[in-house]
Amino acid sequence: MDRKISAAKAESTPGEPPSFDSPDPALEAQLRASEPENWTPPAQKHVEENIPLLPPAEITDETLTPILRELLHNLALRGFFVLHTGHLSDRELYAELWGRGLRDPAHLPGRNPRGGWFHDFLGNWGDDDMQLWLRYYAIDADRAKHATEFPNDKIPPKEKPPCNRDWRLPKGPF
């Protein structure tokens, strides 16, 4: 194996990556399709299809929940799914989707049995997000494992999320 590695290094030109056999054309096409230049913000898709997206300030409290449910359903039809939303109120969730989730470029595969685009409302899983996960989403075994692996982290008390909605959200294919 060492000889093969040395031979491959000797064949490559300095400053250029080593050459490899070209991958399967179907795989190459799939990878190319998922590159950022092919990504579209979900809000743009809604505009192209004449589906109204109201700013959060224009939605009354009475109409917010049905509008949010319809939006999440429409997004799921395009292959866009949300995760960890129970710690947010309906208004906070809609505002976050409006302000960032629908504006960020995404690869929307449509109805795809093997994948989708997942927007996690725990963000980048930094310290604050980890505390939210431990408080609202982690099962007891995960909380115990976290306490063992990170003994200096404070483990918050387990609570039910204020909005019990995640169980009824459209689910991805896995």
Side-chain angles (χ1 to χ4, degrees):
M1 186 55 116
D2 289 338
R3 275 185 258 137
K4 288 181 181 180
I5 293 172
S6 295
K9 284 182 181 178
E11 290 175 10
S12 66
T13 308
E16 290 183 22
S19 63
F20 297 99
D21 294 336
S22 61
D24 174 7
L27 175 61
E28 197 170 300
Q30 181 182 6
L31 292 173
R32 194 170 292 116
S34 67
E35 292 175 354
E37 66 256 10
N38 295 327
W39 294 5
T40 305
Q44 182 178 332
K45 285 285 192 192
H46 275 72
V47 169
E48 290 169 2
E49 296 173 15
N50 293 321
I51 299 172
L53 279 175
L54 298 172
E58 292 182 16
I59 300 175
T60 65
D61 290 339
E62 295 78 28
T63 60
L64 177 64
T65 299
I67 288 172
L68 177 62
R69 286 184 183 164
E70 182 178 3
L71 173 62
L72 294 171
H73 175 74
N74 283 333
L75 290 170
L77 291 175
R78 288 162 184 74
F80 184 102
F81 303 95
V82 296
L83 305 169
H84 300 116
T85 70
H87 65 284
L88 301 170
S89 69
D90 283 352
R91 186 157 300 280
E92 291 168 329
L93 175 58
Y94 188 88
E96 175 64 21
L97 279 167
W98 170 263
R100 192 172 61 87
L102 298 178
R103 312 257 176 243
D104 291 344
H107 177 63
L108 301 175
R111 290 184 164 187
N112 185 331
R114 289 182 265 151
W117 187 267
F118 294 85
H119 184 84
D120 193 339
F121 282 91
L122 289 181
N124 63 6
W125 283 77
D127 292 338
D128 292 340
D129 299 324
M130 184 59 70
Q131 288 295 306
L132 285 171
W133 179 73
L134 289 167
R135 178 177 305 274
Y136 297 120
Y137 304 104
I139 61 173
D140 291 339
D142 291 332
R143 292 167 53 83
K145 182 179 178 185
H146 186 88
T148 302
E149 292 177 359
F150 303 97
N152 294 332
D153 281 4
K154 183 179 182 241
I155 306 295
K158 179 79 173 153
E159 295 180 31
K160 288 184 177 182
C163 291
N164 184 16
R165 95 168 55 80
D166 285 353
W167 66 273
R168 69 175 173 255
L169 292 175
K171 304 290 185 255
F174 44 85

